[in-house]
Amino acid sequence: MKSEKKMINKDFMLYLIGRMVSDTGSTIQMMIMPLYIIDIGGTAATIGIFSFLSFLPTLIIYPFAGVLGDRLNRKTIMVVTDLISAGVIMILAILAYWDMLSIGILLVAQVIIILMNGLFEPATRGMLPQLVDQGEATRSNAMVSSMRTASIMVGPVMGAALYAKFGIVMVFIVNGVSFLLSAVSEMMIAYKFTKVKSRSGIIGIFQDLSEGVEFIRSNRTIGLLCLFYLANYMMLQPIFSVILPLLFKMSLKFSDIRYGYVQMIVILGGLVGSIFVGVLFGKDGELRKPLVWGTGFVSAAMILFTALILPGSISLLGKDTFLFFVSLAGALCLLSISSAFIIIPIQAHIQKETPIQYMSRVFSMMGLLSRGGIPLGALIYGFTLERIALHNTMFSAVLLMIATFTGIIILLLRKTEDLKESNESM
């Protein structure tokens, strides 16, 4: 039993390393893309459209990726998709070196990368519960999130430095190498694949997909948690991918290096939040308390950020002062911390409540709902900012977010009380 536990720990560490390395490269590239698009003449609408279209393939591939993740060897899926992503990114580096790179080519490459990521995510989410004990679900997810956050904490600063000194070519090269190293790490995982009996043909695939949808539909708690996840990504993530680069590049006229420092602080907040969740809620797998705390902290951070970007606040504090920069970074850091209180407990609870044969399908549907919120939110923010001032857009987002999060928590609490009453009556 000891040797088995040691083996699981070793494989779990390889799992963490694989994600850590590829996440580092991906963060470098993704934080630079909005800046690169602006530098080559893009606008707020361009960034919104690019974000929407670059994530669109996820909405198509995710449901079927879950079926494949439950049918095929999850380790093989992870390795193959990482290798293909590495190849595509290296081609981008070559085209950029030859001055043949355009937004159109970048979009096509991003579609391929997103398709590979769509296959990768359900497989890796489905593998995690097989590498750790069930009782360690929350702590393991917190560790994955912490390691992932720690690995990409230097990404924004490194990306800004690479982009400023060497240009986009070096950004692509570093990202491509990271995917190659990730694939090598995943190859060494001693993962035991057990082939399950599955229906053949296209009809069988859709039947398997239907089973996963039915499982989520019949479990109201998981359905509400998926909705919470969707709202989190749709309302919060575009703040970092759309609002922040526009605020820094156009309104505040900050340098790329400053933008990189703020992004690093945001990622540090995610690390701190992950550690807090692991320490405070790792043992009992509490769900209600971290969600309530997270919603409260998110609301406070959103209100503070909105107040800071008001024209009167910028004029009063001075946009070039240390006080303003620290206050802005602190609000974004708090937003990142509080988001971890929402995301990690949701992931852990769904892993504990889902049978292993449904794991990839459930996480593919969960990913479909949550990841769909990112491009949709980016599109809405992008076009809204073309017509409404940035601070007014954020004020509307704050009100909508507080109402949505509070409503979902109330429904979850009611569901919990109903389950308790049902168990007591039995």
Side-chain angles (χ1 to χ4, degrees):
M1 189 71 179
K2 261 185 176 178
S3 61
E4 184 182 352
K5 190 172 183 182
K6 187 176 180 182
M7 176 66 74
I8 291 175
N9 289 339
K10 168 182 170 290
D11 293 333
F12 181 55
M13 289 305 298
L14 289 170
Y15 174 95
L16 288 177
I17 292 171
R19 296 211 59 152
M20 175 184 68
V21 175
S22 62
D23 284 339
T24 302
S26 296
T27 303
I28 291 173
Q29 180 172 322
M30 289 308 297
M31 78 72 70
I32 288 299
M33 285 300 99
L35 302 180
Y36 179 67
I37 290 173
I38 292 173
D39 286 342
I40 60 177
T43 64
T46 307
I47 297 175
I49 292 172
F50 181 84
S51 298
F52 179 76
L53 293 179
S54 65
F55 280 100
L56 185 61
T58 304
L59 306 181
I60 301 172
I61 196 66
Y62 248 59
F64 304 101
V67 175
L68 294 177
D70 285 332
R71 286 184 172 203
L72 305 178
N73 190 316
R74 289 165 179 156
K75 172 183 169 180
T76 301
I77 293 174
M78 292 167 64
V79 172
V80 171
T81 53
D82 269 351
L83 290 176
I84 293 175
S85 296
V88 171
I89 294 168
M90 287 302 188
I91 291 174
L92 286 179
I94 294 172
L95 292 176
Y97 181 76
W98 288 342
D99 283 330
M100 297 175 62
L101 186 61
S102 64
I103 290 182
I105 294 175
L106 197 62
L107 177 60
V108 172
Q110 189 67 9
V111 167
I112 297 174
I113 294 169
I114 290 300
L115 284 173
M116 294 302 101
N117 183 70
L119 292 170
F120 178 91
E121 278 295 328
T124 188
R125 292 293 181 187
M127 177 187 283
L128 179 58
Q130 296 176 273
L131 301 180
V132 298
D133 295 333
Q134 186 177 9
E136 294 292 317
T138 300
R139 192 182 301 276
S140 298
N141 277 277
M143 187 179 297
V144 170
S145 181
S146 298
M147 290 291 291
R148 181 178 184 181
T149 305
S151 69
I152 63 177
M153 190 167 62
V154 296
V157 175
M158 187 186 300
L162 288 172
Y163 185 54
K165 188 168 184 178
F166 301 104
I168 196 67
V169 176
M170 185 59 67
V171 173
F172 288 138
I173 290 175
V174 171
N175 192 20
V177 170
S178 74
F179 273 103
L180 286 174
L181 294 176
S182 175
V184 172
S185 176
E186 291 156 1
M187 288 177 187
M188 294 188 289
I189 296 176
Y191 170 73
K192 184 179 180 181
F193 170 61
T194 302
K195 188 175 180 61
V196 297
K197 187 177 180 180
S198 57
R199 304 176 182 92
S200 60
I202 300 296
I203 295 178
I205 291 177
F206 278 97
Q207 287 176 336
D208 285 352
L209 176 59
S210 178
E211 280 188 0
V213 174
E214 177 59 27
F215 176 81
I216 295 175
R217 190 194 67 79
S218 62
N219 192 316
R220 193 178 174 213
T221 300
I222 290 181
L224 286 172
L225 290 176
C226 287
L227 182 60
F228 209 146
Y229 221 52
L230 169 64
N232 178 77
Y233 276 98
M234 187 172 72
M235 297 180 189
L236 296 187
Q237 296 306 315
I239 294 176
F240 303 112
S241 61
V242 178
I243 295 286
L244 198 55
L246 289 173
L247 176 67
F248 269 53
K249 295 287 284 188
M250 295 185 176
S251 299
L252 301 177
K253 307 293 184 183
F254 281 172
S255 66
D256 293 347
I257 296 297
R258 275 196 179 186
Y259 177 74
Y261 281 131
V262 169
Q263 286 284 9
M264 184 180 70
I265 292 171
V266 168
I267 296 170
L268 178 61
L271 173 61
V272 173
S274 300
I275 294 173
F276 280 169
V277 171
V279 172
L280 297 175
F281 311 109
K283 291 183 179 180
D284 53 12
E286 176 69 47
L287 179 63
R288 177 185 59 84
K289 192 181 295 184
L291 292 185
V292 172
W293 286 16
T295 298
F297 289 148
V298 164
S299 301
M302 290 273 281
I303 292 171
L304 177 58
F305 177 72
T306 304
L308 286 170
I309 64 176
L310 290 172
S313 299
I314 296 176
S315 176
L316 178 64
L317 297 175
K319 69 177 184 178
D320 292 324
T321 63
F322 180 74
L323 177 61
F324 176 75
F325 184 79
V326 170
S327 300
L328 190 65
L332 292 168
C333 183
L334 178 60
L335 189 62
S336 184
I337 291 173
S338 53
S339 182
F341 278 72
I342 295 172
I343 293 174
I344 295 173
I346 289 177
Q347 291 176 342
H349 186 81
I350 291 179
Q351 285 175 351
K352 288 190 293 185
E353 295 296 318
T354 304
I356 194 66
Q357 66 268 24
Y358 289 110
M359 193 70 69
S360 290
R361 275 173 285 178
V362 169
F363 270 97
S364 70
M365 297 306 299
M366 183 181 172
L368 178 65
L369 294 173
S370 62
R371 295 300 180 86
I374 298 177
L376 179 59
L379 187 67
I380 293 173
Y381 272 100
F383 279 101
T384 301
L385 287 167
E386 291 288 316
R387 296 166 177 80
I388 302 176
L390 190 147
H391 59 277
N392 289 331
T393 299
M394 280 301 306
F395 180 73
S396 301
V398 168
L399 296 179
L400 182 60
M401 184 274 300
I402 293 175
T404 303
F405 281 19
T406 303
I408 296 175
I409 287 179
I410 290 174
L411 291 174
L412 282 169
L413 292 178
R414 286 180 179 175
K415 178 62 178 175
T416 302
E417 290 300 322
D418 291 342
L419 287 174
K420 283 184 179 179
E421 292 177 3
S422 177
N423 291 334
E424 288 175 359
S425 65
M426 293 175 63

